[in-house]
Amino acid sequence: MEETNWEQRVQALTHVLTNPTRNPSLHSQLFISTQIPCYLNWSYPPILCNKDQHTNAFPSLHLRWGFSLFLKRVSRLGAPETSWRSRCPFQQPPPLILAKGVEEAQWGDEQRRDYFKKRLRRKRFVSDVNPLIPIMIPNILLLSLLFWNPFPEDKL
């Protein structure tokens, strides 16, 4: 991606953002491959990449792409890939795959009010640690230095 200029990057990014899909069309793949010649993190093989065609290095580009795709799928344990967009059911356009536990958006007034009330009743994302613990632990450690000297002076 270092060999592309900013205009090509912006065009490719605009295309990816305006056409979100898991199965890009051939036209989309060709467009991205001309803008960014070696965009290996897409879900299609790098058949149009001409970066490593002249070298016979092992592992080949296709083998590296296949292995990275395998690692991505293994890390998710076969579950579909979700992102922050998948957790926003009221986003336009709606996400392709909803995250686990997220219901499809209901657009009636009463359904939106119920959804908002349910979001307000949801427990806040905070830790249940007693507030004295973060204060007491460092103070106890400093107090222990008064009784125990970790760097004793050399005895004569």
Side-chain angles (χ1 to χ4, degrees), residues 68-85:
S68 68
L69 186 67
F70 172 74
L71 288 179
K72 284 181 205 173
R73 290 183 181 174
V74 165
S75 67
R76 293 191 315 260
L77 300 174
E81 187 176 354
T82 58
S83 68
W84 64 270
R85 292 188 75 236

mmCIF file with all atom_site columns, all heavy atoms in Angstrom, residues 68-85:
data_model
loop_
_atom_site.group_PDB
_atom_site.id
_atom_site.type_symbol
_atom_site.label_atom_id
_atom_site.label_alt_id
_atom_site.label_comp_id
_atom_site.label_asym_id
_atom_site.label_entity_id
_atom_site.label_seq_id
_atom_site.pdbx_PDB_ins_code
_atom_site.Cartn_x
_atom_site.Cartn_y
_atom_site.Cartn_z
_atom_site.occupancy
_atom_site.B_iso_or_equiv
_atom_site.pdbx_formal_charge
_atom_site.auth_seq_id
_atom_site.auth_comp_id
_atom_site.auth_asym_id
_atom_site.auth_atom_id
_atom_site.pdbx_PDB_model_num
ATOM 1   N N   . SER A 1 68 ? -3.495  -16.810 6.201  1.00 0.00 ? 68 SER A N   1
ATOM 2   C CA  . SER A 1 68 ? -4.064  -15.701 6.992  1.00 0.00 ? 68 SER A CA  1
ATOM 3   C C   . SER A 1 68 ? -5.587  -15.816 7.063  1.00 0.00 ? 68 SER A C   1
ATOM 4   O O   . SER A 1 68 ? -6.191  -15.544 8.098  1.00 0.00 ? 68 SER A O   1
ATOM 5   C CB  . SER A 1 68 ? -3.651  -14.350 6.418  1.00 0.00 ? 68 SER A CB  1
ATOM 6   O OG  . SER A 1 68 ? -4.258  -14.141 5.166  1.00 0.00 ? 68 SER A OG  1
ATOM 7   N N   . LEU A 1 69 ? -6.223  -16.248 5.971  1.00 0.00 ? 69 LEU A N   1
ATOM 8   C CA  . LEU A 1 69 ? -7.669  -16.448 5.979  1.00 0.00 ? 69 LEU A CA  1
ATOM 9   C C   . LEU A 1 69 ? -8.040  -17.572 6.946  1.00 0.00 ? 69 LEU A C   1
ATOM 10  O O   . LEU A 1 69 ? -9.012  -17.463 7.702  1.00 0.00 ? 69 LEU A O   1
ATOM 11  C CB  . LEU A 1 69 ? -8.159  -16.769 4.568  1.00 0.00 ? 69 LEU A CB  1
ATOM 12  C CG  . LEU A 1 69 ? -9.661  -16.857 4.373  1.00 0.00 ? 69 LEU A CG  1
ATOM 13  C CD1 . LEU A 1 69 ? -10.289 -15.491 4.580  1.00 0.00 ? 69 LEU A CD1 1
ATOM 14  C CD2 . LEU A 1 69 ? -9.977  -17.373 2.984  1.00 0.00 ? 69 LEU A CD2 1
ATOM 15  N N   . PHE A 1 70 ? -7.246  -18.647 6.939  1.00 0.00 ? 70 PHE A N   1
ATOM 16  C CA  . PHE A 1 70 ? -7.483  -19.753 7.864  1.00 0.00 ? 70 PHE A CA  1
ATOM 17  C C   . PHE A 1 70 ? -7.355  -19.284 9.309  1.00 0.00 ? 70 PHE A C   1
ATOM 18  O O   . PHE A 1 70 ? -8.192  -19.614 10.159 1.00 0.00 ? 70 PHE A O   1
ATOM 19  C CB  . PHE A 1 70 ? -6.482  -20.875 7.572  1.00 0.00 ? 70 PHE A CB  1
ATOM 20  C CG  . PHE A 1 70 ? -6.497  -21.980 8.586  1.00 0.00 ? 70 PHE A CG  1
ATOM 21  C CD1 . PHE A 1 70 ? -7.537  -22.899 8.611  1.00 0.00 ? 70 PHE A CD1 1
ATOM 22  C CD2 . PHE A 1 70 ? -5.488  -22.095 9.518  1.00 0.00 ? 70 PHE A CD2 1
ATOM 23  C CE1 . PHE A 1 70 ? -7.551  -23.913 9.545  1.00 0.00 ? 70 PHE A CE1 1
ATOM 24  C CE2 . PHE A 1 70 ? -5.497  -23.098 10.455 1.00 0.00 ? 70 PHE A CE2 1
ATOM 25  C CZ  . PHE A 1 70 ? -6.528  -24.012 10.473 1.00 0.00 ? 70 PHE A CZ  1
ATOM 26  N N   . LEU A 1 71 ? -6.323  -18.507 9.613  1.00 0.00 ? 71 LEU A N   1
ATOM 27  C CA  . LEU A 1 71 ? -6.132  -18.017 10.983 1.00 0.00 ? 71 LEU A CA  1
ATOM 28  C C   . LEU A 1 71 ? -7.274  -17.099 11.421 1.00 0.00 ? 71 LEU A C   1
ATOM 29  O O   . LEU A 1 71 ? -7.692  -17.134 12.581 1.00 0.00 ? 71 LEU A O   1
ATOM 30  C CB  . LEU A 1 71 ? -4.794  -17.295 11.111 1.00 0.00 ? 71 LEU A CB  1
ATOM 31  C CG  . LEU A 1 71 ? -3.556  -18.174 11.069 1.00 0.00 ? 71 LEU A CG  1
ATOM 32  C CD1 . LEU A 1 71 ? -2.303  -17.321 11.176 1.00 0.00 ? 71 LEU A CD1 1
ATOM 33  C CD2 . LEU A 1 71 ? -3.588  -19.218 12.163 1.00 0.00 ? 71 LEU A CD2 1
ATOM 34  N N   . LYS A 1 72 ? -7.777  -16.279 10.501 1.00 0.00 ? 72 LYS A N   1
ATOM 35  C CA  . LYS A 1 72 ? -8.909  -15.404 10.841 1.00 0.00 ? 72 LYS A CA  1
ATOM 36  C C   . LYS A 1 72 ? -10.132 -16.229 11.220 1.00 0.00 ? 72 LYS A C   1
ATOM 37  O O   . LYS A 1 72 ? -10.826 -15.932 12.187 1.00 0.00 ? 72 LYS A O   1
ATOM 38  C CB  . LYS A 1 72 ? -9.256  -14.498 9.661  1.00 0.00 ? 72 LYS A CB  1
ATOM 39  C CG  . LYS A 1 72 ? -8.315  -13.353 9.449  1.00 0.00 ? 72 LYS A CG  1
ATOM 40  C CD  . LYS A 1 72 ? -8.803  -12.528 8.271  1.00 0.00 ? 72 LYS A CD  1
ATOM 41  C CE  . LYS A 1 72 ? -7.667  -11.778 7.642  1.00 0.00 ? 72 LYS A CE  1
ATOM 42  N NZ  . LYS A 1 72 ? -8.065  -11.115 6.407  1.00 0.00 ? 72 LYS A NZ  1
ATOM 43  N N   . ARG A 1 73 ? -10.401 -17.267 10.447 1.00 0.00 ? 73 ARG A N   1
ATOM 44  C CA  . ARG A 1 73 ? -11.584 -18.094 10.724 1.00 0.00 ? 73 ARG A CA  1
ATOM 45  C C   . ARG A 1 73 ? -11.406 -18.914 11.996 1.00 0.00 ? 73 ARG A C   1
ATOM 46  O O   . ARG A 1 73 ? -12.354 -19.107 12.752 1.00 0.00 ? 73 ARG A O   1
ATOM 47  C CB  . ARG A 1 73 ? -11.872 -19.003 9.538  1.00 0.00 ? 73 ARG A CB  1
ATOM 48  C CG  . ARG A 1 73 ? -12.382 -18.226 8.354  1.00 0.00 ? 73 ARG A CG  1
ATOM 49  C CD  . ARG A 1 73 ? -12.733 -19.124 7.199  1.00 0.00 ? 73 ARG A CD  1
ATOM 50  N NE  . ARG A 1 73 ? -13.202 -18.321 6.079  1.00 0.00 ? 73 ARG A NE  1
ATOM 51  C CZ  . ARG A 1 73 ? -13.479 -18.817 4.891  1.00 0.00 ? 73 ARG A CZ  1
ATOM 52  N NH1 . ARG A 1 73 ? -13.356 -20.104 4.665  1.00 0.00 ? 73 ARG A NH1 1
ATOM 53  N NH2 . ARG A 1 73 ? -13.892 -18.027 3.929  1.00 0.00 ? 73 ARG A NH2 1
ATOM 54  N N   . VAL A 1 74 ? -10.202 -19.406 12.231 1.00 0.00 ? 74 VAL A N   1
ATOM 55  C CA  . VAL A 1 74 ? -9.956  -20.191 13.439 1.00 0.00 ? 74 VAL A CA  1
ATOM 56  C C   . VAL A 1 74 ? -10.073 -19.307 14.675 1.00 0.00 ? 74 VAL A C   1
ATOM 57  O O   . VAL A 1 74 ? -10.614 -19.730 15.697 1.00 0.00 ? 74 VAL A O   1
ATOM 58  C CB  . VAL A 1 74 ? -8.566  -20.864 13.361 1.00 0.00 ? 74 VAL A CB  1
ATOM 59  C CG1 . VAL A 1 74 ? -8.121  -21.380 14.710 1.00 0.00 ? 74 VAL A CG1 1
ATOM 60  C CG2 . VAL A 1 74 ? -8.599  -21.995 12.354 1.00 0.00 ? 74 VAL A CG2 1
ATOM 61  N N   . SER A 1 75 ? -9.593  -18.070 14.592 1.00 0.00 ? 75 SER A N   1
ATOM 62  C CA  . SER A 1 75 ? -9.662  -17.183 15.757 1.00 0.00 ? 75 SER A CA  1
ATOM 63  C C   . SER A 1 75 ? -11.100 -16.864 16.147 1.00 0.00 ? 75 SER A C   1
ATOM 64  O O   . SER A 1 75 ? -11.389 -16.601 17.312 1.00 0.00 ? 75 SER A O   1
ATOM 65  C CB  . SER A 1 75 ? -8.890  -15.888 15.492 1.00 0.00 ? 75 SER A CB  1
ATOM 66  O OG  . SER A 1 75 ? -9.531  -15.132 14.488 1.00 0.00 ? 75 SER A OG  1
ATOM 67  N N   . ARG A 1 76 ? -12.024 -16.871 15.186 1.00 0.00 ? 76 ARG A N   1
ATOM 68  C CA  . ARG A 1 76 ? -13.435 -16.617 15.485 1.00 0.00 ? 76 ARG A CA  1
ATOM 69  C C   . ARG A 1 76 ? -14.183 -17.894 15.825 1.00 0.00 ? 76 ARG A C   1
ATOM 70  O O   . ARG A 1 76 ? -15.376 -17.845 16.134 1.00 0.00 ? 76 ARG A O   1
ATOM 71  C CB  . ARG A 1 76 ? -14.117 -15.965 14.282 1.00 0.00 ? 76 ARG A CB  1
ATOM 72  C CG  . ARG A 1 76 ? -13.642 -14.594 13.959 1.00 0.00 ? 76 ARG A CG  1
ATOM 73  C CD  . ARG A 1 76 ? -14.546 -13.927 12.944 1.00 0.00 ? 76 ARG A CD  1
ATOM 74  N NE  . ARG A 1 76 ? -14.919 -14.758 11.824 1.00 0.00 ? 76 ARG A NE  1
ATOM 75  C CZ  . ARG A 1 76 ? -14.366 -14.730 10.623 1.00 0.00 ? 76 ARG A CZ  1
ATOM 76  N NH1 . ARG A 1 76 ? -13.381 -13.908 10.390 1.00 0.00 ? 76 ARG A NH1 1
ATOM 77  N NH2 . ARG A 1 76 ? -14.784 -15.519 9.654  1.00 0.00 ? 76 ARG A NH2 1
ATOM 78  N N   . LEU A 1 77 ? -13.519 -19.061 15.709 1.00 0.00 ? 77 LEU A N   1
ATOM 79  C CA  . LEU A 1 77 ? -14.126 -20.372 15.944 1.00 0.00 ? 77 LEU A CA  1
ATOM 80  C C   . LEU A 1 77 ? -15.335 -20.605 15.039 1.00 0.00 ? 77 LEU A C   1
ATOM 81  O O   . LEU A 1 77 ? -16.338 -21.179 15.444 1.00 0.00 ? 77 LEU A O   1
ATOM 82  C CB  . LEU A 1 77 ? -14.509 -20.548 17.412 1.00 0.00 ? 77 LEU A CB  1
ATOM 83  C CG  . LEU A 1 77 ? -13.353 -20.462 18.404 1.00 0.00 ? 77 LEU A CG  1
ATOM 84  C CD1 . LEU A 1 77 ? -13.874 -20.501 19.827 1.00 0.00 ? 77 LEU A CD1 1
ATOM 85  C CD2 . LEU A 1 77 ? -12.352 -21.573 18.157 1.00 0.00 ? 77 LEU A CD2 1
ATOM 86  N N   . GLY A 1 78 ? -15.256 -20.111 13.827 1.00 0.00 ? 78 GLY A N   1
ATOM 87  C CA  . GLY A 1 78 ? -16.309 -20.335 12.855 1.00 0.00 ? 78 GLY A CA  1
ATOM 88  C C   . GLY A 1 78 ? -17.490 -19.383 12.952 1.00 0.00 ? 78 GLY A C   1
ATOM 89  O O   . GLY A 1 78 ? -18.386 -19.435 12.127 1.00 0.00 ? 78 GLY A O   1
ATOM 90  N N   . ALA A 1 79 ? -17.505 -18.514 13.968 1.00 0.00 ? 79 ALA A N   1
ATOM 91  C CA  . ALA A 1 79 ? -18.616 -17.561 14.106 1.00 0.00 ? 79 ALA A CA  1
ATOM 92  C C   . ALA A 1 79 ? -18.493 -16.480 13.042 1.00 0.00 ? 79 ALA A C   1
ATOM 93  O O   . ALA A 1 79 ? -17.392 -16.157 12.600 1.00 0.00 ? 79 ALA A O   1
ATOM 94  C CB  . ALA A 1 79 ? -18.590 -16.925 15.500 1.00 0.00 ? 79 ALA A CB  1
ATOM 95  N N   . PRO A 1 80 ? -19.620 -15.912 12.606 1.00 0.00 ? 80 PRO A N   1
ATOM 96  C CA  . PRO A 1 80 ? -19.527 -14.848 11.592 1.00 0.00 ? 80 PRO A CA  1
ATOM 97  C C   . PRO A 1 80 ? -18.823 -13.620 12.161 1.00 0.00 ? 80 PRO A C   1
ATOM 98  O O   . PRO A 1 80 ? -18.901 -13.336 13.349 1.00 0.00 ? 80 PRO A O   1
ATOM 99  C CB  . PRO A 1 80 ? -20.985 -14.542 11.243 1.00 0.00 ? 80 PRO A CB  1
ATOM 100 C CG  . PRO A 1 80 ? -21.769 -15.046 12.383 1.00 0.00 ? 80 PRO A CG  1
ATOM 101 C CD  . PRO A 1 80 ? -21.000 -16.189 12.974 1.00 0.00 ? 80 PRO A CD  1
ATOM 102 N N   . GLU A 1 81 ? -18.131 -12.927 11.286 1.00 0.00 ? 81 GLU A N   1
ATOM 103 C CA  . GLU A 1 81 ? -17.382 -11.746 11.708 1.00 0.00 ? 81 GLU A CA  1
ATOM 104 C C   . GLU A 1 81 ? -18.344 -10.589 11.972 1.00 0.00 ? 81 GLU A C   1
ATOM 105 O O   . GLU A 1 81 ? -19.189 -10.272 11.136 1.00 0.00 ? 81 GLU A O   1
ATOM 106 C CB  . GLU A 1 81 ? -16.393 -11.351 10.611 1.00 0.00 ? 81 GLU A CB  1
ATOM 107 C CG  . GLU A 1 81 ? -15.460 -10.258 11.000 1.00 0.00 ? 81 GLU A CG  1
ATOM 108 C CD  . GLU A 1 81 ? -14.438 -9.986  9.912  1.00 0.00 ? 81 GLU A CD  1
ATOM 109 O OE1 . GLU A 1 81 ? -14.397 -10.721 8.926  1.00 0.00 ? 81 GLU A OE1 1
ATOM 110 O OE2 . GLU A 1 81 ? -13.697 -9.025  10.072 1.00 0.00 ? 81 GLU A OE2 1
ATOM 111 N N   . THR A 1 82 ? -18.241 -9.987  13.137 1.00 0.00 ? 82 THR A N   1
ATOM 112 C CA  . THR A 1 82 ? -19.078 -8.842  13.470 1.00 0.00 ? 82 THR A CA  1
ATOM 113 C C   . THR A 1 82 ? -18.185 -7.664  13.798 1.00 0.00 ? 82 THR A C   1
ATOM 114 O O   . THR A 1 82 ? -17.014 -7.821  14.113 1.00 0.00 ? 82 THR A O   1
ATOM 115 C CB  . THR A 1 82 ? -19.983 -9.134  14.678 1.00 0.00 ? 82 THR A CB  1
ATOM 116 O OG1 . THR A 1 82 ? -19.166 -9.480  15.785 1.00 0.00 ? 82 THR A OG1 1
ATOM 117 C CG2 . THR A 1 82 ? -20.959 -10.258 14.382 1.00 0.00 ? 82 THR A CG2 1
ATOM 118 N N   . SER A 1 83 ? -18.737 -6.487  13.739 1.00 0.00 ? 83 SER A N   1
ATOM 119 C CA  . SER A 1 83 ? -17.971 -5.271  14.031 1.00 0.00 ? 83 SER A CA  1
ATOM 120 C C   . SER A 1 83 ? -18.848 -4.351  14.861 1.00 0.00 ? 83 SER A C   1
ATOM 121 O O   . SER A 1 83 ? -19.945 -4.701  15.276 1.00 0.00 ? 83 SER A O   1
ATOM 122 C CB  . SER A 1 83 ? -17.559 -4.597  12.722 1.00 0.00 ? 83 SER A CB  1
ATOM 123 O OG  . SER A 1 83 ? -18.709 -4.096  12.065 1.00 0.00 ? 83 SER A OG  1
ATOM 124 N N   . TRP A 1 84 ? -18.366 -3.134  15.085 1.00 0.00 ? 84 TRP A N   1
ATOM 125 C CA  . TRP A 1 84 ? -19.144 -2.170  15.868 1.00 0.00 ? 84 TRP A CA  1
ATOM 126 C C   . TRP A 1 84 ? -20.448 -1.838  15.146 1.00 0.00 ? 84 TRP A C   1
ATOM 127 O O   . TRP A 1 84 ? -21.450 -1.538  15.774 1.00 0.00 ? 84 TRP A O   1
ATOM 128 C CB  . TRP A 1 84 ? -18.324 -0.911  16.130 1.00 0.00 ? 84 TRP A CB  1
ATOM 129 C CG  . TRP A 1 84 ? -17.965 -0.163  14.881 1.00 0.00 ? 84 TRP A CG  1
ATOM 130 C CD1 . TRP A 1 84 ? -16.850 -0.331  14.121 1.00 0.00 ? 84 TRP A CD1 1
ATOM 131 C CD2 . TRP A 1 84 ? -18.731 0.856   14.228 1.00 0.00 ? 84 TRP A CD2 1
ATOM 132 N NE1 . TRP A 1 84 ? -16.870 0.507   13.044 1.00 0.00 ? 84 TRP A NE1 1
ATOM 133 C CE2 . TRP A 1 84 ? -18.016 1.259   13.088 1.00 0.00 ? 84 TRP A CE2 1
ATOM 134 C CE3 . TRP A 1 84 ? -19.947 1.454   14.502 1.00 0.00 ? 84 TRP A CE3 1
ATOM 135 C CZ2 . TRP A 1 84 ? -18.478 2.236   12.222 1.00 0.00 ? 84 TRP A CZ2 1
ATOM 136 C CZ3 . TRP A 1 84 ? -20.411 2.437   13.629 1.00 0.00 ? 84 TRP A CZ3 1
ATOM 137 C CH2 . TRP A 1 84 ? -19.665 2.818   12.521 1.00 0.00 ? 84 TRP A CH2 1
ATOM 138 N N   . ARG A 1 85 ? -20.461 -1.916  13.808 1.00 0.00 ? 85 ARG A N   1
ATOM 139 C CA  . ARG A 1 85 ? -21.691 -1.648  13.066 1.00 0.00 ? 85 ARG A CA  1
ATOM 140 C C   . ARG A 1 85 ? -22.739 -2.704  13.371 1.00 0.00 ? 85 ARG A C   1
ATOM 141 O O   . ARG A 1 85 ? -23.937 -2.441  13.306 1.00 0.00 ? 85 ARG A O   1
ATOM 142 C CB  . ARG A 1 85 ? -21.425 -1.644  11.562 1.00 0.00 ? 85 ARG A CB  1
ATOM 143 C CG  . ARG A 1 85 ? -20.589 -0.499  11.085 1.00 0.00 ? 85 ARG A CG  1
ATOM 144 C CD  . ARG A 1 85 ? -20.538 -0.457  9.575  1.00 0.00 ? 85 ARG A CD  1
ATOM 145 N NE  . ARG A 1 85 ? -21.786 0.037   9.061  1.00 0.00 ? 85 ARG A NE  1
ATOM 146 C CZ  . ARG A 1 85 ? -22.541 -0.621  8.188  1.00 0.00 ? 85 ARG A CZ  1
ATOM 147 N NH1 . ARG A 1 85 ? -22.185 -1.786  7.745  1.00 0.00 ? 85 ARG A NH1 1
ATOM 148 N NH2 . ARG A 1 85 ? -23.679 -0.112  7.770  1.00 0.00 ? 85 ARG A NH2 1
#
